[in-house]
Amino acid sequence: MSTIRDVAKLAGVSVATVSRVINQKGYISKDTEKKIKACMAKLQYSPSSVARGLAGKKTDTIALLIPDITNPFFPEIARAVEDTASSYGITTLLGNCDENGVKELRYLDILKKRYVDGIIFAEHGLTWNEIHGILGSGMPIVSLDRAALSEEVSSVRVNHYQGAVLAVEHLLSIGCRRIAHISGPNHLITSANRNRGYTDTLRNAGCFDPDLVYEGDFSMECGMRVTEQLLKENEGVDGIFTSNDLMAVGALKTLIRSGVKVPEDVALIGFDGISMTQMVEPEISTIAQPIYEIGKQAVFQLIHQIEDRHELPEMTPRVLETKLIQRATTTRF
Amino acid sequence: MSTIRDVAKLAGVSVATVSRVINQKGYISKDTEKKIKACMAKLQYSPSSVARGLAGKKTDTIALLIPDITNPFFPEIARAVEDTASSYGITTLLGNCDENGVKELRYLDILKKRYVDGIIFAEHGLTWNEIHGILGSGMPIVSLDRAALSEEVSSVRVNHYQGAVLAVEHLLSIGCRRIAHISGPNHLITSANRNRGYTDTLRNAGCFDPDLVYEGDFSMECGMRVTEQLLKENEGVDGIFTSNDLMAVGALKTLIRSGVKVPEDVALIGFDGISMTQMVEPEISTIAQPIYEIGKQAVFQLIHQIEDRHELPEMTPRVLETKLIQRATTTRF
DNA sequence: TTGTATGCGTTATCAG
DNA sequence: CTGATAACGCATACAA
């Protein structure tokens, strides 16, 4: 690998001059610029982002930390983030934290020191101390989950509560009255908000029953297991709202295997809007998050923190809304 | 963020001494070591991997480049790689290339210069020139797809050919005679090998029909579309072997929607062994790759290139075999 | 056992 | 317009 010095030597100029043409900064004569560019090409030179990072420059690289790469929701987020970042010449590095605090910290340790220009968290298990540590280090961050939890850390906000309301109202509208809920981990704010939306709506309708709420962990296996338990422990459940799509897929499976007719006996609706809901039969109704928009806004917010000049399309950090997508599992004739 | 110099100052020693305790290298008195460690803790110091990389040291970080993060096979590979790497204290950075040569090169540009200690490619579109460029730069690489294509680049080898043979023999054994194949992109060696396995086996059995071979692109949509076309253009197809599981899921969907009974009318088998095959009803038979083992071997091979000393469990770079997993889509009674 | 000095590849500040 | 040279944070021969 050739360095900036090799180029300088070959071109018969100083490294400073080469650096200038690389960064399009300061004055350089057309002649030397052309000569230098030729030399760079000949040596197949490309600047080291590491050295560049050390020298305090931007690396044009951001990191996206996700909790579980095998949950398709996050790969879809990743694509959105990557797409957007890519269109600004920014490369995205992914870190899979595996719901594991230790790994999360390990990533941070690596990234904090100018490895990347900024970090996007899709759901994190950090303490406030740790977050302040990062913020203090000057590393721009954006969070995808702490909706409205604090003004201190930039985040893209999705109205999970309203999404859950949509889901439950939909189930009510097609005639369901005993509607169960398989929630996500209660310590996650997103999950908790969906839970509230469910509870409130059902209370208003006068058919809330705490026995019908089960805490899940967002995995498909859990969706299967809990649904089994749910069917065993309760009579007359005629609708299920799962806090994410993966659990809905699991639930659907158990329902079919148990000989329960979907949606005739039990209607089913998930949350997220991942494409897997369309891969199964019957296709699963869901509350779709604006996945692409989420990724896009996250990148916008991050870039804004990194530098204010970037001429970005008007930042609209409004709260993003979810959308009901009705499919076979909630369509009764 | 505190630097090594801050620690040195606080501890009243030189940076070299601090560096020694960080790297457990050279002699240091128990006393100063303890003192320095205390200072590091107090300052919440952790060394910058960037500077460390620049200074020619290992970064204990590797990169895994995957072609399509939304194909669940790769997240599963990623988990295996991460798991293994993690157990050796190595952090894995992911890059999603999106089947996009430009992005692939962009990642390489970033990674090449001592950003990471090594790179694992899960399927790449690099030319030999480009590969040599990386090799020449001293960056260790391991490839997951170029099975047996060259001795120059280290790779973990899976017997895709034999896997396809297994699949087709299985279909034959349950009575299928007109067996269609939806292949992957023909320019991918893995996909081509599976295709050969299919063709050879069917030829030997005397029932090969080139009209029943369709080229797909490994996506679910493609699985749906091609299956539709396949049903329209051919009579009496009684078995389908798709070159990966995602296409099998798509195929299954089309079959069910077309009122075709699976497996009574048409049996179906996929390839890869991703867990999604168990999420649908009926569950899909598949040729399972030893996903975890693949990731593990890739990491082992990479570490071996990075440094020879690491006491790794006996390296067994044997060819990995696939395994038939029979499920409902090929179980006739 | 510990300190000094130098280099890693770039950028940035000042002089020419 | 261009060239030295000092950072950036760390590792490492070489001294002490």
Side-chain angles (χ1 to χ4, degrees):
Chain A
M1 278 295 83
S2 42
T3 77
I4 195 176
R5 249 181 297 262
D6 301 327
V7 177
K9 197 166 300 173
L10 184 65
V13 298
S14 77
V15 293
T17 311
V18 178
S19 178
R20 282 189 195 97
V21 357
I22 293 172
N23 301 293
Q24 322 257 34
K25 221 169 203 167
Y27 298 98
I28 30 175
S29 76
K30 274 291 164 214
D31 278 0
T32 48
E33 172 166 5
K34 196 161 295 177
K35 181 166 48 175
I36 289 174
K37 279 189 170 161
C39 293
M40 302 202 316
K42 189 178 315 180
L43 294 176
Q44 295 201 70
Y45 166 79
S46 89
S48 153
S49 26
V50 174
R52 193 175 261 201
L54 223 208
K57 244 283 207 165
K58 292 214 291 15
T59 60
D60 288 326
T61 307
I62 63 175
L64 169 65
L65 261 29
I66 58 181
D68 178 13
I69 194 178
T70 61
N71 177 341
F73 177 68
F74 296 107
E76 294 192 20
I77 286 282
R79 272 191 65 115
V81 167
E82 234 159 40
D83 250 38
T84 310
S86 183
S87 74
Y88 287 94
I90 296 174
T91 302
T92 307
L93 255 22
L94 254 51
N96 178 35
C97 299
D98 226 9
E99 319 260 16
N100 180 329
V102 179
K103 285 194 187 177
E104 201 161 42
L105 287 178
R106 217 153 65 180
Y107 276 114
L108 286 182
D109 246 31
I110 293 182
L111 300 174
K112 245 184 340 195
K113 319 297 185 52
R114 306 225 34 79
Y115 218 83
V116 296
D117 296 338
I119 304 176
I120 298 175
F121 293 94
E123 206 174 275
H124 63 83
L126 265 32
T127 67
W128 278 110
N129 266 342
E130 290 162 343
I131 290 186
H132 279 136
I134 310 168
L135 251 27
S137 80
M139 175 66 72
I141 63 178
V142 168
S143 165
L144 255 43
D145 61 339
R146 297 284 158 138
L149 208 143
S150 150
E151 304 305 318
E152 270 186 279
V153 31
S154 173
S155 66
V156 5
R157 306 163 59 153
V158 175
N159 202 337
H160 293 100
Y161 178 89
Q162 183 57 28
V165 171
L166 278 180
V168 176
E169 281 180 346
H170 176 56
L171 288 176
L172 287 168
S173 81
I174 62 168
C176 300
R177 285 303 172 266
R178 279 182 66 70
I179 300 174
H181 180 47
I182 307 181
S183 79
N186 285 327
H187 63 89
L188 293 182
I189 183 86
T190 49
S191 170
N193 281 339
R194 294 173 200 172
N195 198 329
R196 278 199 308 112
Y198 159 86
T199 306
D200 289 357
T201 310
L202 234 38
R203 255 208 193 104
N204 289 343
C207 37
F208 175 69
D209 177 353
D211 289 348
L212 297 185
V213 179
Y214 292 78
E215 180 174 357
D217 66 3
F218 281 153
S219 75
M220 195 203 78
E221 292 69 31
C222 171
M224 293 183 62
R225 191 167 18 82
V226 172
T227 302
E228 210 165 329
Q229 186 185 349
L230 191 155
L231 290 176
K232 203 176 307 172
E233 297 177 353
N234 300 277
E235 295 283 317
V237 168
D238 55 9
I240 301 179
F241 165 45
T242 61
S243 196
N244 78 341
D245 286 336
L246 216 47
M247 292 196 296
V249 171
L252 178 62
K253 208 169 159 172
T254 295
L255 291 172
I256 293 178
R257 295 201 149 182
S258 310
V260 175
K261 284 203 165 28
V262 182
E264 292 79 2
D265 301 337
V266 176
L268 174 67
I269 188 167
F271 200 111
D272 276 352
I274 62 178
S275 58
M276 194 185 293
T277 47
Q278 299 179 72
M279 300 191 178
V280 295
E281 268 294 325
E283 293 191 354
I284 301 175
S285 297
T286 186
I287 302 299
Q289 297 196 54
I291 298 187
Y292 202 85
E293 192 61 27
I294 292 174
K296 200 154 107 183
Q297 278 217 16
V299 174
F300 283 178
Q301 291 193 19
L302 197 57
I303 295 183
H304 268 279
Q305 285 185 53
I306 296 172
E307 51 173 338
D308 317 66
R309 55 176 189 73
H310 241 126
E311 61 291 310
L312 286 176
E314 209 47 60
M315 259 281 279
T316 48
R318 66 184 186 288
V319 174
L320 300 176
E321 296 297 339
T322 56
K323 202 171 72 188
L324 165 68
I325 299 188
Q326 179 171 13
R327 299 214 186 88
T329 58
T330 60
T331 303
R332 291 170 171 168
F333 297 102
Chain B
M1 277 296 81
S2 43
T3 77
I4 196 175
R5 251 182 296 263
D6 301 327
V7 178
K9 198 166 297 173
L10 184 65
V13 298
S14 77
V15 292
T17 312
V18 178
S19 178
R20 282 189 195 96
V21 357
I22 293 172
N23 301 292
Q24 322 256 34
K25 220 167 203 170
Y27 299 97
I28 30 174
S29 77
K30 273 292 163 214
D31 278 2
T32 48
E33 172 167 4
K34 196 162 296 175
K35 181 169 47 175
I36 289 175
K37 279 190 170 161
C39 294
M40 299 201 318
K42 188 178 315 177
L43 294 176
Q44 298 201 71
Y45 166 79
S46 86
S48 153
S49 26
V50 174
R52 192 176 262 209
L54 226 207
K57 245 283 212 166
K58 291 212 289 25
T59 59
D60 288 326
T61 306
I62 63 174
L64 169 64
L65 260 28
I66 59 183
D68 178 13
I69 195 177
T70 61
N71 177 341
F73 177 69
F74 296 107
E76 294 192 21
I77 286 282
R79 273 192 67 115
V81 166
E82 234 159 40
D83 251 38
T84 310
S86 183
S87 73
Y88 287 94
I90 296 174
T91 300
T92 306
L93 254 23
L94 254 51
N96 178 34
C97 299
D98 227 9
E99 319 260 17
N100 181 327
V102 179
K103 285 195 186 175
E104 201 163 42
L105 287 177
R106 216 153 65 180
Y107 276 114
L108 285 183
D109 246 30
I110 293 182
L111 301 174
K112 246 186 335 195
K113 319 294 184 54
R114 303 227 35 81
Y115 221 78
V116 296
D117 296 338
I119 303 176
I120 298 176
F121 294 93
E123 205 175 275
H124 63 82
L126 265 33
T127 67
W128 278 110
N129 266 343
E130 290 161 344
I131 291 186
H132 278 134
I134 311 168
L135 251 26
S137 79
M139 174 68 73
I141 64 178
V142 169
S143 165
L144 254 45
D145 60 339
R146 295 284 157 136
L149 208 142
S150 150
E151 304 307 318
E152 270 186 276
V153 32
S154 173
S155 67
V156 4
R157 305 163 59 152
V158 175
N159 201 337
H160 294 99
Y161 178 90
Q162 182 57 27
V165 171
L166 278 180
V168 177
E169 281 179 346
H170 176 56
L171 289 176
L172 286 169
S173 81
I174 63 168
C176 301
R177 285 302 171 268
R178 277 183 67 71
I179 302 172
H181 180 46
I182 307 181
S183 78
N186 286 326
H187 63 89
L188 293 181
I189 183 86
T190 49
S191 170
N193 282 338
R194 292 173 201 171
N195 199 328
R196 278 199 308 113
Y198 159 84
T199 306
D200 288 356
T201 310
L202 233 39
R203 256 210 192 104
N204 288 343
C207 37
F208 175 70
D209 177 353
D211 289 348
L212 297 183
V213 179
Y214 291 78
E215 180 173 357
D217 66 3
F218 282 153
S219 76
M220 196 205 75
E221 292 69 29
C222 170
M224 294 184 61
R225 189 165 21 81
V226 172
T227 303
E228 209 165 329
Q229 188 185 348
L230 190 156
L231 290 176
K232 202 175 309 173
E233 298 177 350
N234 300 277
E235 294 285 316
V237 168
D238 55 9
I240 301 179
F241 165 45
T242 62
S243 195
N244 79 341
D245 285 337
L246 216 46
M247 292 195 297
V249 171
L252 177 63
K253 205 163 166 187
T254 295
L255 290 172
I256 293 179
R257 297 201 147 182
S258 309
V260 175
K261 285 202 166 28
V262 181
E264 293 79 359
D265 300 338
V266 175
L268 174 66
I269 187 166
F271 200 110
D272 275 353
I274 63 178
S275 58
M276 192 186 291
T277 48
Q278 299 178 73
M279 299 190 177
V280 295
E281 268 294 327
E283 294 190 353
I284 301 176
S285 298
T286 186
I287 301 299
Q289 297 196 53
I291 297 187
Y292 202 85
E293 191 61 27
I294 291 173
K296 201 155 107 183
Q297 278 217 17
V299 174
F300 284 179
Q301 292 192 18
L302 198 56
I303 295 183
H304 268 279
Q305 285 185 54
I306 295 173
E307 52 173 337
D308 318 68
R309 54 177 192 72
H310 242 123
E311 59 293 309
L312 287 177
E314 209 46 58
M315 258 281 279
T316 48
R318 66 184 185 290
V319 174
L320 300 176
E321 294 298 339
T322 56
K323 202 169 73 187
L324 165 68
I325 299 187
Q326 179 171 14
R327 299 214 186 87
T329 58
T330 59
T331 303
R332 290 169 170 170
F333 298 101

